[in-house]
DNA sequence: CTCCTCACG
DNA sequence: ACGTACGTGAGGAGA
């Protein structure tokens, strides 16, 4: 028997139990737990699916989820199956070499750490590490660490052992999660790696990828890029990535209908630089790197449901200063504050917020008496329509792109979707045509108040 | 199994 | 005064 996602394994019996037990034609769902009669199982499965459809389809209508279901989720499903099936090729020899390289680095770092600690211990144990750092070496006495050994805390500790531990953690992570594991997951039939996508397991409608998760392949650090580069195209093909530029900020500009933001996107300006120029009252040409980074953090913060505390922590500034920046941002982009208030109220009244496809994102604690939970729910309520609508847009684009590949009988295949990005394995002779298709499809999927911009790169 | 930590958008 | 940036999945430790 194939290894089946545990999630899917028990889904049908559980749906039958929930929706069909009172049905006159109810089938015996015990059949799903008896494994000896394959034919009976298939028959029962088909009957269950038909009966479930009869019960659930009217609920889709009643909940006004027609558009989200029939125009997004349902057509996306076979496309995701196709992408899973396509799989992606990895260079397992190169990954093995990286594993060996990492193994040596980890051994060297361990020795350095033991020497500095004057004791041998399990560096991978947060408990043992905290004891060494905070009790034996008495480090971090001037910071409130709560015995945490997270990277965020370690970065503040000015001692060589902290740097070594950070490096040890980074390399261990890459080795244990990626270079050691990925080669073992190559399907012997296809010679490729096949992930499993779920379109129904996130709050916002984003996809989730598992077994293995191919949406978090390292790419940021120097060592991470080495792993990223082990994902390759087969002979006479190239890997091509097409990603939406700042799609969430564009969705925000569209929803909140902020004229100056919309204009900025229409003119393809550097949005973080522009924001910095407004907040810090500086001509755009004179905006410093630091100011731009701050503005970037604020722009991201807005999408996350900003708080002075969160921004202060992110930028390592005082809460008061963060608070001033936020006020300044709201003054610059008139209408954002009102949009946020409106969205929170909608969440509070309905218990959910909606994305551009009409998908409902339920915000369970929005009316909680617990202020901490309620504030968290408020941030979710702000973030969900933005993140979820961006997910809708790329879902639609994925469906349309696969249709185009099918219609033109292209040899190129979609091999990954990573939230705002499609990765294709492109037949060399199709490269120019595929680029045109990608620009056309992805950029014209939606007519928002702002243009959608796509960047395409070979990798 | 839960917690901590960290990889990605 | 209180604890908080949004959304995921995976590996190791420790109970």
């Amino acid at each position: 028997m194939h290894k089946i996602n545990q999630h899917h394994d028990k889904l049908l019996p559980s749906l039958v139990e929930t929706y069909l037990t009172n049905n006159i034609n109810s089938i015996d769902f015990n059949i799903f737990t008896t494994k000896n009669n394959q034919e009976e199982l298939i028959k029962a499965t088909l009957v269950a699916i038909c009966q479930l459809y009869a019960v659930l389809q009217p609920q889709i209508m009643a909940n006004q989820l027609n558009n989200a279901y029939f125009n997004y989720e349902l057509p996306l499903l076979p496309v995701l199956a196709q992408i899973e099936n396509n799989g992606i090729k990895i260079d397992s020899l190169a990954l093995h070499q990286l594993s060996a390289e990492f193994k040596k680095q980890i051994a060297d770092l361990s020795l350095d750490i033991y020497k500095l600690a004057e004791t041998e211990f399990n560096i991978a144990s947060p408990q043992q590490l905290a004891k060494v750092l905070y009790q034996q070496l008495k480090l971090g006495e001037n910071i409130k660490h709560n015995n945490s050994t997270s990277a965020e805390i370690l970065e503040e500790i000015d001692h060589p052992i902290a740097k070594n531990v950070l490096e040890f953690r980074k390399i261990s992570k890459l080795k244990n999660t990626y270079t050691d594991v990925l080669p073992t997951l190559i399907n012997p039939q296809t010679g490729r790696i096949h992930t499993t996508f779920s379109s129904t397991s996130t709050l916002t409608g984003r996809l989730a990828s598992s077994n293995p998760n191919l949406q978090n392949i390292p790419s940021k650090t120097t060592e991470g890029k080495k792993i990223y580069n082990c994902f390759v195209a087969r002979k006479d093909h190239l890997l091509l990535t097409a990603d939406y530029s700042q799609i969430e900020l564009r969705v925000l500009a569209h929803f909140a209908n902020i004229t100056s933001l919309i204009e900025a996107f229409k003119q393809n300006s550097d949005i973080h630089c522009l924001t910095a120029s407004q907040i810090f009252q500086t001509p755009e040409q004179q905006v410093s790197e630091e100011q731009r980074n701050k503005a970037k953090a604020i722009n991201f913060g807005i999408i996350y449901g900003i708080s002075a505390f969160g921004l202060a922590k992110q930028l390592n500034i005082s809460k008061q200063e963060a608070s001033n920046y936020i006020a300044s941002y709201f003054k610059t982009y008139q209408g954002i504050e009102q949009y946020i208030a409106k969205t929170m109220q909608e969440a509070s009244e309905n218990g959910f917020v909606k994305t551009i496809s009409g998908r409902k994102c339920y915000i369970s604690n929005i009316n909680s008496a617990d202020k901490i939970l309620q504030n968290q729910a408020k941030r979710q309520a702000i973030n969900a329509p933005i993140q979820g609508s961006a997910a809708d847009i790329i879902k639609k684009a994925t469906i349309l792109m696969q249709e185009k590949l099918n219609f033109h009988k292209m040899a190129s295949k979609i091999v990954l979707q990573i939230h705002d990005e499609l990765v294709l394995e492109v037949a060399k002779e199709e490269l120019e045509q595929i680029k045109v298709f990608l620009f056309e499809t992805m950029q014209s999927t939606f007519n928002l108040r702002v243009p959608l911009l796509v960047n395409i790169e070979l990798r």
Side-chain angles (χ1 to χ4, degrees):
Chain A
M1 181 89 175
H2 247 76
K3 187 181 158 192
I4 291 182
N5 190 326
Q6 292 159 358
H7 210 68
H8 298 141
D9 217 9
K10 289 167 187 168
L11 184 58
L12 193 57
S14 115
L15 286 173
V16 168
E17 194 168 355
T18 309
Y19 294 103
L20 297 183
T21 42
N22 296 323
N23 193 313
I24 301 167
N25 300 318
S26 176
I27 45 131
D28 176 14
F29 59 85
N30 290 323
I31 191 81
F32 294 116
T33 53
T34 62
K35 294 177 179 173
N36 40 13
N37 195 333
Q38 198 69 14
E39 207 173 302
E40 284 294 311
L41 180 64
I42 290 167
K43 221 185 280 175
T45 300
L46 291 175
V47 171
I49 288 171
C50 282
Q51 294 192 8
L52 279 170
Y53 185 79
V55 174
L56 294 175
Q57 197 267 349
Q59 294 194 25
I60 292 170
M61 305 283 266
N63 284 294
Q64 301 170 322
L65 291 168
N66 285 35
N67 189 43
Y69 182 68
F70 289 105
N71 296 330
Y72 292 76
E73 295 310 327
L74 204 51
L76 182 65
L77 209 57
V79 179
L80 291 182
Q82 172 85 59
I83 298 172
E84 290 179 359
N85 226 9
N86 290 342
I88 188 163
K89 193 182 168 200
I90 56 166
D91 182 344
S92 65
L93 180 62
L95 281 167
H96 277 123
Q97 287 168 350
L98 273 180
S99 272
E101 195 179 303
F102 290 161
K103 187 179 175 183
K104 168 124 180 51
Q105 287 184 48
I106 290 167
D108 291 347
L109 286 162
S110 299
L111 288 181
D112 291 346
I113 292 166
Y114 298 151
K115 200 171 280 179
L116 288 162
E118 296 179 335
T119 172
E120 287 196 17
F121 63 103
N122 185 349
I123 308 166
S125 160
Q127 218 173 77
Q128 295 179 38
L129 178 63
K131 201 172 158 196
V132 168
L133 295 180
Y134 305 134
Q135 288 177 30
Q136 293 173 22
L137 298 176
K138 307 216 180 298
L139 298 173
E141 284 183 332
N142 50 344
I143 50 181
K144 41 181 189 308
H145 51 66
N146 287 332
N147 270 334
S148 165
T149 65
S150 67
E152 191 193 334
I153 300 288
L154 294 186
E155 273 159 17
E156 289 187 50
I157 297 177
D158 187 22
H159 188 282
I161 196 171
K163 287 177 183 53
N164 281 329
V165 169
L166 281 169
E167 190 69 8
F168 172 95
R169 283 249 184 90
K170 189 176 81 183
I171 306 294
S172 302
K173 173 82 174 182
L174 297 180
K175 181 172 185 288
N176 294 337
T177 312
Y178 304 102
T179 60
D180 282 354
V181 178
L182 288 173
T184 71
L185 298 176
I186 295 174
N187 180 311
Q189 265 94 53
T190 64
R192 296 161 74 95
I193 302 227
H194 304 266
T195 187
T196 301
F197 284 112
S198 168
S199 197
T200 54
S201 53
T202 63
L203 181 79
T204 58
R206 268 193 177 183
L207 298 185
S209 158
S210 60
N211 302 311
N213 182 353
L214 293 185
Q215 291 183 319
N216 69 348
I217 299 305
S219 61
K220 291 180 169 173
T221 66
T222 311
E223 289 80 7
K225 287 191 176 81
K226 291 181 185 172
I227 295 172
Y228 186 89
N229 288 335
C230 292
F231 285 76
V232 295
R234 70 182 193 278
K235 190 171 183 296
D236 297 325
H237 288 67
L238 301 161
L239 277 190
L240 192 72
T241 78
D243 68 287
Y244 280 111
S245 166
Q246 283 157 345
I247 190 165
E248 294 190 341
L249 273 181
R250 286 169 198 260
V251 167
L252 172 69
H254 169 79
F255 275 149
N257 198 0
I258 310 299
T259 313
S260 55
L261 261 180
I262 293 170
E263 281 311 308
F265 279 124
K266 280 185 178 166
Q267 287 166 31
N268 200 18
S269 347
D270 177 340
I271 202 72
H272 302 314
C273 184
L274 178 77
T275 303
S277 140
Q278 298 282 339
I279 290 179
F280 301 111
Q281 309 267 321
T282 309
E284 273 189 71
Q285 292 81 358
Q286 290 170 33
V287 167
S288 70
E289 193 65 29
E290 193 196 349
Q291 286 174 323
R292 187 180 180 281
N293 283 338
K294 282 184 175 173
K296 189 175 174 179
I298 300 168
N299 278 327
F300 270 105
I302 295 291
I303 287 165
Y304 293 158
I306 202 156
S307 69
F309 184 93
L311 183 63
K313 199 170 95 176
Q314 180 67 32
L315 290 178
N316 210 359
I317 56 177
S318 74
K319 206 168 138 183
Q320 182 57 51
E321 200 182 345
S323 191
N324 293 342
Y325 288 164
I326 294 168
S328 179
Y329 183 96
F330 286 153
K331 206 174 157 194
T332 300
Y333 297 120
Q334 298 275 335
I336 295 267
E337 206 172 7
Q338 199 191 342
Y339 166 74
I340 289 175
K342 194 195 77 183
T343 306
M344 285 179 183
Q345 192 183 344
E346 183 191 328
S348 174
E349 283 170 9
N350 301 328
F352 60 80
V353 287
K354 283 186 175 185
T355 69
I356 204 163
S357 71
R359 170 188 281 270
K360 293 177 180 176
C361 308
Y362 288 89
I363 310 293
S364 52
N365 292 319
I366 192 69
N367 293 317
S368 168
D370 182 333
K371 285 293 164 199
I372 296 164
L373 288 179
Q374 196 191 49
N375 283 334
Q376 191 179 6
K378 282 180 174 177
R379 292 193 297 271
Q380 288 174 334
I382 298 309
N383 175 261
I386 299 172
Q387 189 185 112
S389 298
D392 289 341
I393 292 169
I394 193 155
K395 279 180 178 175
K396 193 85 209 171
T398 309
I399 296 164
L400 293 173
M401 189 63 198
Q402 185 61 52
E403 273 178 12
K404 214 165 248 191
L405 293 177
N406 294 346
F407 183 80
H408 294 278
K409 300 194 164 49
M410 306 297 276
S412 305
K413 296 167 190 298
I414 305 175
V415 291
L416 288 179
Q417 188 263 44
I418 316 177
H419 307 309
D420 64 353
E421 174 186 4
L422 287 179
V423 181
L424 280 86
E425 187 176 61
V426 179
K428 276 182 180 164
E429 68 276 12
E430 292 178 357
L431 181 60
E432 290 313 310
Q433 185 64 64
I434 291 288
K435 280 189 189 172
V436 172
F437 283 165
L438 280 169
F439 279 128
E440 279 176 5
T441 347
M442 292 176 78
Q443 293 186 160
S444 63
T445 301
F446 266 85
N447 258 318
L448 303 185
R449 296 185 179 101
V450 289
L452 291 174
L453 179 68
V454 169
N455 293 319
I456 298 186
E457 264 178 29
L458 278 173
R459 50 173 240 182

